[in-house]
């Protein structure tokens, strides 16, 4: 099949992809400082329900990922991203004008649907243009900029709230989407020409999904990605109450969050530098082993008679590694899963990310509910998740050896 030549410089392409990646992170993290105000204004009887502002958006993302990839295989990459941007912008406006908590939750679900398009279709664009370790390197470089957005998003949210209230955050979402979409439309050529497009039929979609999940390496990569996302979502779900309730540092949370997010960008840099030498599977395995060690230490710390400041320092180190681990695992696992699926890359990107996102959310939600004003439930949960991940990566290596010998 003809592989298109990218007319953008690699630097501009990586920056554009990173901005599309960042749509989801910005839409999540900028809302974190607004949750107390939203709870007081729209749900005064149960202010804790404000956390649904985050989870409802993730639900929308999970649903949207199943459709955006296949649609991009049918109608082209740019058209589907444009459609997603229109949905995202319209529902951001709906959330801005919402007068009830239920309406804003509905708007957030639909906003997640729209945000899924740039995130998923950008992976298909990368797969159209690159393969193998170079594809993983492009994703890793994009993740560097992607991790900067979560670093500044809570601070942006704080600034917007101070100037014009929490609702204005949705206006900034609209501006962000317009800039990214116009940039894509003007500068990035379409990477899936009409002769290479697949008709959108449910029978073909079902056939593609069967092909996807019949491949043992792809199945395991999706499961491990689910585990890695669950580790990340579990930390995100509980990190603010841990700062505020456990360590009494709620006021400084956005600043700690920003510094940690910047430091965690090194994960993508390290992966980009090492992936061509070590390989994707080895990096993912060692990342999970380090998570196993960190989580085990935190289980001990949670039960040790240490000062609150020492516990906080260790927790910050652990949180930094959890965020860093996203840069050393997610791009590699996506590449591992998509490598055999180049002929259905849009559908593959949707299915892989969709199943992993929804599965991770289902795992992370009860972990968040286990919060008991300490770090112990989170530590035990991530410890167990990392064990499962290590076991699955070991199985993947054995299967890969068997496939290589058979060939």
């Amino acid at each position: 099949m003809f592989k298109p030549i990218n007319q953008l410089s690699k630097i501009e392409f990586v920056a554009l992809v990173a901005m599309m990646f960042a749509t989801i992170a910005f839409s999540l993290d900028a809302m974190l400082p607004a949750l107390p105000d939203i709870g007081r204004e729209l749900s005064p009887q149960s202010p804790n329900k404000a956390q649904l502002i985050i989870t409802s958006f993730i639900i929308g993302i999970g649903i949207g990922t199943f459709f955006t990839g296949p649609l991009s295989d049918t109608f082209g990459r740019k058209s589907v991203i444009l459609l997603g941007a229109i949905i995202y912008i319209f529902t951001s406006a709906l959330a801005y004008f919402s007068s009830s908590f239920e309406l804003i939750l509905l708007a957030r679900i639909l906003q997640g649907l729209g945000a899924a398009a740039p995130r998923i279709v950008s992976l298909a664009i990368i797969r159209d243009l690159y393969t193998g370790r170079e594809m993983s390197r492009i994703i890793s470089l994009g993740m560097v900029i992607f991790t900067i957005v979560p670093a500044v998003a809570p601070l942006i949210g704080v600034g917007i709230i101070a100037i014009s209230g929490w609702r204005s955050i949705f206006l900034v979402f609209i501006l962000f989407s317009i800039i990214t979409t116009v940039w894509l439309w003007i500068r990035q050529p379409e990477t899936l020409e009409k002769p290479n497009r697949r008709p959108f039929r449910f029978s073909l979609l079902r056939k593609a999904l069967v092909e996807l999940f019949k491949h043992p390496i792809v199945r395991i990569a999706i499961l491990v990605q689910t585990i890695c996302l669950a580790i990340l979502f579990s930390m995100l779900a509980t990190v603010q109450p841990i700062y505020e309730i456990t360590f009494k540092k709620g006021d400084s949370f956005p600043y700690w969050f920003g510094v940690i997010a910047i430091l965690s960008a090194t994960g993508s840099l390290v992966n980009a530098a090492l992936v061509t030498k070590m390989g994707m599977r080895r990096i993912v395995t060692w990342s999970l082993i380090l998570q196993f060690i960190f989580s085990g230490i935190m289980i001990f710390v949670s039960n040790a008679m240490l000062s609150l400041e020492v516990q906080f320092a260790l927790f910050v180190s652990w949180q930094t590694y959890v965020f860093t681990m996203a840069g050393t695992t997610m791009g590699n696992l996506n590449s591992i899963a998509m490598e055999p699926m180049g002929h259905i890359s849009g559908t593959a990107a949707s299915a892989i990310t969709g199943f992993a996102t929804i599965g991770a959310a289902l795992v992370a939600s009860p972990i968040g509910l286990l919060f008991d004003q300490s770090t112990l439930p989170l530590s035990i949960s991530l410890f167990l998740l990392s064990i499962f991940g290590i076991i699955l990566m070991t199985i993947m290596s054995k299967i890969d050896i068997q496939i290589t010998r058979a060939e």
Side-chain angles (χ1 to χ4, degrees):
M1 184 177 67
F2 171 73
K3 180 172 278 299
I5 299 174
N6 196 8
Q7 297 179 20
L8 297 184
S9 68
K10 190 167 289 188
I11 292 175
E12 183 180 357
F13 179 71
V14 168
L16 175 58
V17 166
M19 289 290 284
M20 290 191 288
F21 284 177
T23 302
I24 288 175
F26 186 46
S27 302
L28 285 170
D29 298 331
M31 295 301 301
L32 292 176
L35 297 183
D37 290 341
I38 294 173
R40 283 190 294 268
E41 181 176 334
L42 297 180
S43 183
Q45 303 301 321
S46 302
N48 286 334
K49 286 184 178 180
Q51 296 180 13
L52 295 174
I53 297 293
I54 304 299
T55 55
S56 60
F57 183 79
I58 294 175
I59 290 171
I61 295 168
I63 297 171
T65 53
F66 285 105
F67 298 99
T68 52
L71 287 173
S72 76
D73 282 342
T74 301
F75 300 106
R77 312 308 188 198
K78 293 173 67 173
S79 297
V80 173
I81 291 177
L82 177 62
L83 175 62
I86 291 171
I87 295 172
Y88 181 88
I89 290 169
F90 174 78
T91 53
S92 295
L94 178 63
Y96 176 80
F97 290 108
S98 296
S99 57
S100 70
F101 188 65
E102 293 73 20
L103 185 57
I104 200 172
L105 288 183
L106 175 61
R108 283 288 280 177
I109 292 173
L110 296 175
Q111 190 185 34
L113 280 171
R119 177 66 178 94
I120 299 305
V121 180
S122 61
L123 286 174
I125 291 174
I126 294 172
R127 181 61 184 83
D128 289 339
L129 298 169
Y130 301 95
T131 59
R133 294 182 178 183
E134 184 63 17
M135 176 174 66
S136 182
R137 184 171 179 270
I138 293 294
I139 294 174
S140 295
L141 291 173
M143 289 287 286
V144 174
I145 302 176
F146 166 80
T147 52
I148 294 174
V149 172
V152 300
L155 289 174
I156 292 174
V158 169
I160 294 170
I161 292 168
I163 295 172
S164 55
W166 63 268
R167 291 180 182 274
S168 296
I169 296 175
F170 292 106
L171 299 181
V172 178
F173 290 163
I174 292 173
L175 178 62
F176 183 90
S177 181
I178 289 173
I179 291 173
T180 305
T181 307
V182 170
W183 183 5
L184 170 80
W185 198 260
I186 294 175
R187 295 289 297 156
Q188 174 62 50
E190 176 59 57
T191 60
L192 186 66
E193 299 299 331
K194 290 184 178 180
N196 297 324
R197 296 179 186 179
R198 296 160 55 94
F200 186 80
R201 298 174 185 165
F202 283 105
S203 59
L204 293 178
L205 178 60
R206 181 183 60 81
K207 183 179 178 181
L209 290 176
V210 169
E211 180 181 353
L212 188 73
F213 285 99
K214 281 180 66 176
H215 199 293
I217 296 295
V218 176
R219 285 200 308 268
I220 295 175
I222 293 172
L223 287 173
V224 178
Q225 187 172 345
T226 300
I227 288 172
C228 293
L229 276 176
I231 289 171
L232 178 62
F233 289 169
S234 298
M235 178 63 76
L236 285 173
T238 54
V239 66
Q240 190 172 32
I242 286 175
Y243 271 75
E244 185 171 353
I245 298 173
T246 308
F247 297 116
K248 315 299 181 186
K249 296 183 182 295
D251 292 340
S252 59
F253 166 71
Y255 304 99
W256 284 105
F257 194 94
V259 171
I260 289 169
I262 292 173
L263 292 175
S264 67
T266 57
S268 296
L269 289 172
V270 169
N271 190 70
L274 296 180
V275 69
T276 56
K277 299 177 182 178
M278 293 181 60
M280 296 175 281
R281 293 177 181 83
R282 189 178 299 176
I283 291 176
V284 172
T285 302
W286 275 105
S287 298
L288 287 163
I289 290 172
L290 289 175
Q291 181 60 245
F292 167 80
I293 295 171
F294 265 106
S295 301
I297 292 172
M298 287 305 301
I299 292 174
F300 170 77
V301 168
S302 299
N303 292 289
M305 300 298 292
L306 300 175
S307 69
L308 204 61
E309 290 303 316
V310 171
Q311 291 186 47
F312 178 69
L314 292 171
F315 176 78
V316 168
S317 300
W318 182 38
Q319 180 193 349
T320 303
Y321 180 71
V322 170
F323 290 176
T324 302
M325 182 177 149
T328 59
T329 57
M330 300 312 301
N332 290 327
L333 289 166
N334 267 310
S335 298
I336 291 170
M338 289 187 67
E339 178 63 23
M341 301 294 150
H343 57 295
I344 52 168
S345 57
T347 301
S350 287
I352 292 163
T353 307
F355 281 109
T357 300
I358 293 175
L362 292 175
V363 173
S365 295
I367 292 175
L369 294 175
L370 292 174
F371 177 65
D372 63 352
Q373 301 188 10
S374 77
T375 61
L376 185 59
L378 183 64
S379 304
I380 294 174
S381 300
L382 270 58
F383 181 80
L384 294 175
L385 286 172
S386 60
I387 290 176
F388 293 144
I390 293 167
I391 292 172
L392 287 170
M393 289 306 298
T394 302
I395 295 172
M396 181 190 289
S397 296
K398 291 181 179 179
I399 293 174
D400 190 48
I401 292 173
Q402 293 174 356
I403 292 174
T404 302
R405 287 176 178 174
E407 292 176 348

